[in-house]
Amino acid sequence: MNQLIQGFTHTFTCNNRTMVSLSVLLLTLVLQNSRLLISAETVVTCDGFVQRLSCDSGVISVQSATYGRTNSNICSIGRPQGETSNTRCSMDVPAVSKRCDGLRECELNTQGLAEKDPCYGTYKYYTTNYICIQAETSVTCHGGYSYLKCENGKIQINTANYGRTDKITCSEGRPSNQLEKTNCYSPNALASVSKSCNGLKSCEVFVTHPVFTDPCIGIYKYLAISYFCLPPQTRSSLVCENVNNDLNCDVGTKIHIHSANYGRTDSSTCSTGRPASQLAKTDCYALNSQTIVTNGCEGKNRCSISASNSVFSDPCVGTFKYLYISYSCVTK
């Protein structure tokens, strides 16, 4: 794997004395034997302002998103010491991943984005780490057919949402009241599209209410998908929670990770003997899944990763999870 350190660029936007956003370009990783380009970025945005994520190439994949304060200097201009002295304040914000994954550009009004206040009296900021992954995209308005195709390889769905996340997409000829809700997400979109398309060279999905749960009645919706075309020789491995996931390649070849998730995206996998309450949440993702699996397995002939909360943390407490990995064995 070639690593190109591109340096640091700082972007400041000021409103009176308040620093709004700090964007730091960390690095670019070029993975050999793959079309996948990953650029990693960290964006810090002061509370109450708009956070902007974007990819010049590929789509957004949020690795972590937190709200709080871990540094007394960031977003501190014009603030009294009492509002910046608590640097042990941090909580995860899953809404950032939910709203931005699979998009080329994403704007978030941070006002009220976090579910609660982790430290009253402290002026906080949002820190989002994300990567840009090279993926195919498809957007289809309600009532149409979404066609996905891979010229070489097999489809692997990355993200899918039936709903609305902006006022522009699929808006032509529509009254404003059908476009006003922009935080509309169907809970079964990813599972439904994955079931219909994963592992195929091409697939067709009908974009309508009988296929997907209607997440916002009265709003005109669309289906947005991002997906990979995995090489024909791609392998997959899945183990239930608290079991080791072992990857092996033939002598003379090395592991190359394509995708990974520790969580749950359907209610049937690893479900034997489990109560319904442990299987109901099917939009469960550990955002650090691919990073951990890649760090542990990329370039090795064999490796073992434990499907456990101690390795990935717990992305959905009370849900019984599993670790899914897609990979290929490439020549040295």
Side-chain angles (χ1 to χ4, degrees), residues 151-189:
E151 295 293 341
N152 296 298
K154 299 180 292 185
I155 295 170
Q156 176 70 40
I157 302 299
N158 176 42
T159 61
N161 181 52
Y162 173 68
R164 176 167 290 279
T165 59
D166 64 60
K167 295 183 179 181
I168 299 174
T169 305
C170 292
S171 61
E172 187 175 352
R174 295 287 163 180
S176 59
N177 66 323
Q178 292 186 2
L179 310 172
E180 60 186 4
K181 187 175 177 63
T182 57
N183 60 340
C184 174
Y185 305 88
S186 176
N188 70 331

Side-chain angles (χ1 to χ4, degrees), residues 110-158:
T110 61
Q111 189 69 46
L113 186 62
E115 295 180 354
K116 61 181 181 179
D117 189 337
C119 47
Y120 291 100
T122 294
Y123 185 64
K124 296 165 283 292
Y125 51 85
Y126 288 82
T127 304
T128 300
N129 297 294
Y130 69 99
I131 60 176
C132 296
I133 55 178
Q134 188 169 325
E136 307 293 333
T137 58
S138 170
V139 177
T140 307
C141 303
H142 173 77
Y145 286 87
S146 181
Y147 298 97
L148 309 184
K149 185 177 182 180
C150 288
E151 295 293 341
N152 296 298
K154 299 180 292 185
I155 295 170
Q156 176 70 40
I157 302 299
N158 176 42

Side-chain angles (χ1 to χ4, degrees), residues 168-239:
I168 299 174
T169 305
C170 292
S171 61
E172 187 175 352
R174 295 287 163 180
S176 59
N177 66 323
Q178 292 186 2
L179 310 172
E180 60 186 4
K181 187 175 177 63
T182 57
N183 60 340
C184 174
Y185 305 88
S186 176
N188 70 331
L190 180 61
S192 180
V193 175
S194 296
K195 184 177 180 180
S196 299
C197 298
N198 278 353
L200 302 179
K201 291 182 65 67
S202 63
C203 68
E204 178 182 292
V205 180
F206 186 29
V207 185
T208 185
H209 296 156
V211 177
F212 304 103
T213 301
D214 190 342
C216 46
I217 297 173
I219 298 297
Y220 188 66
K221 292 165 282 289
Y222 52 87
L223 176 63
I225 300 171
S226 67
Y227 66 100
F228 307 113
C229 290
L230 299 182
Q233 68 273 22
T234 299
R235 306 179 181 186
S236 62
S237 180
L238 185 149
V239 297

Side-chain angles (χ1 to χ4, degrees), residues 35-332:
R35 297 186 306 122
L36 184 62
L37 174 67
I38 301 179
S39 64
E41 231 177 289
T42 297
V43 176
V44 179
T45 305
C46 304
D47 193 12
F49 293 90
V50 175
Q51 184 169 87
R52 294 178 176 87
L53 314 181
S54 65
C55 289
D56 292 332
S57 176
V59 298
I60 296 165
S61 176
V62 175
Q63 302 297 289
S64 66
T66 58
Y67 175 59
R69 176 170 290 277
T70 58
N71 184 296
S72 60
N73 296 319
I74 296 174
C75 292
S76 62
I77 297 175
R79 297 283 166 179
Q81 185 178 2
E83 292 185 0
T84 61
S85 58
N86 182 3
T87 57
R88 295 184 178 182
C89 169
S90 182
M91 64 175 289
D92 293 333
V93 188
V96 178
S97 174
K98 183 177 181 180
R99 297 189 186 186
C100 296
D101 278 356
L103 302 180
R104 295 189 184 279
E105 296 182 350
C106 182
E107 289 193 355
L108 298 165
N109 185 345
T110 61
Q111 189 69 46
L113 186 62
E115 295 180 354
K116 61 181 181 179
D117 189 337
C119 47
Y120 291 100
T122 294
Y123 185 64
K124 296 165 283 292
Y125 51 85
Y126 288 82
T127 304
T128 300
N129 297 294
Y130 69 99
I131 60 176
C132 296
I133 55 178
Q134 188 169 325
E136 307 293 333
T137 58
S138 170
V139 177
T140 307
C141 303
H142 173 77
Y145 286 87
S146 181
Y147 298 97
L148 309 184
K149 185 177 182 180
C150 288
E151 295 293 341
N152 296 298
K154 299 180 292 185
I155 295 170
Q156 176 70 40
I157 302 299
N158 176 42
T159 61
N161 181 52
Y162 173 68
R164 176 167 290 279
T165 59
D166 64 60
K167 295 183 179 181
I168 299 174
T169 305
C170 292
S171 61
E172 187 175 352
R174 295 287 163 180
S176 59
N177 66 323
Q178 292 186 2
L179 310 172
E180 60 186 4
K181 187 175 177 63
T182 57
N183 60 340
C184 174
Y185 305 88
S186 176
N188 70 331
L190 180 61
S192 180
V193 175
S194 296
K195 184 177 180 180
S196 299
C197 298
N198 278 353
L200 302 179
K201 291 182 65 67
S202 63
C203 68
E204 178 182 292
V205 180
F206 186 29
V207 185
T208 185
H209 296 156
V211 177
F212 304 103
T213 301
D214 190 342
C216 46
I217 297 173
I219 298 297
Y220 188 66
K221 292 165 282 289
Y222 52 87
L223 176 63
I225 300 171
S226 67
Y227 66 100
F228 307 113
C229 290
L230 299 182
Q233 68 273 22
T234 299
R235 306 179 181 186
S236 62
S237 180
L238 185 149
V239 297
C240 303
E241 186 173 348
N242 297 320
V243 176
N244 285 343
N245 197 325
D246 299 317
L247 309 184
N248 297 281
C249 284
D250 297 332
V251 176
T253 63
K254 298 189 293 185
I255 295 168
H256 173 60
I257 302 298
H258 294 290
S259 64
N261 182 54
Y262 175 66
R264 176 168 290 277
T265 60
D266 66 63
S267 58
S268 57
T269 303
C270 291
S271 60
T272 303
R274 296 287 166 179
S277 60
Q278 293 185 1
L279 311 172
K281 185 172 179 59
T282 57
D283 59 346
C284 173
Y285 310 89
L287 300 182
N288 57 359
S289 298
Q290 185 151 345
T291 299
I292 290 176
V293 173
T294 299
N295 288 343
C297 296
E298 185 76 24
K300 297 181 179 179
N301 179 253
R302 61 185 59 206
C303 69
S304 181
I305 301 288
S306 175
S308 64
N309 297 335
S310 61
V311 174
F312 296 95
S313 74
D314 193 340
C316 44
V317 178
T319 294
F320 188 67
K321 294 163 283 291
Y322 50 86
L323 174 61
Y324 171 82
I325 302 171
S326 66
Y327 69 103
S328 58
C329 296
V330 298
T331 59
K332 294 181 180 180

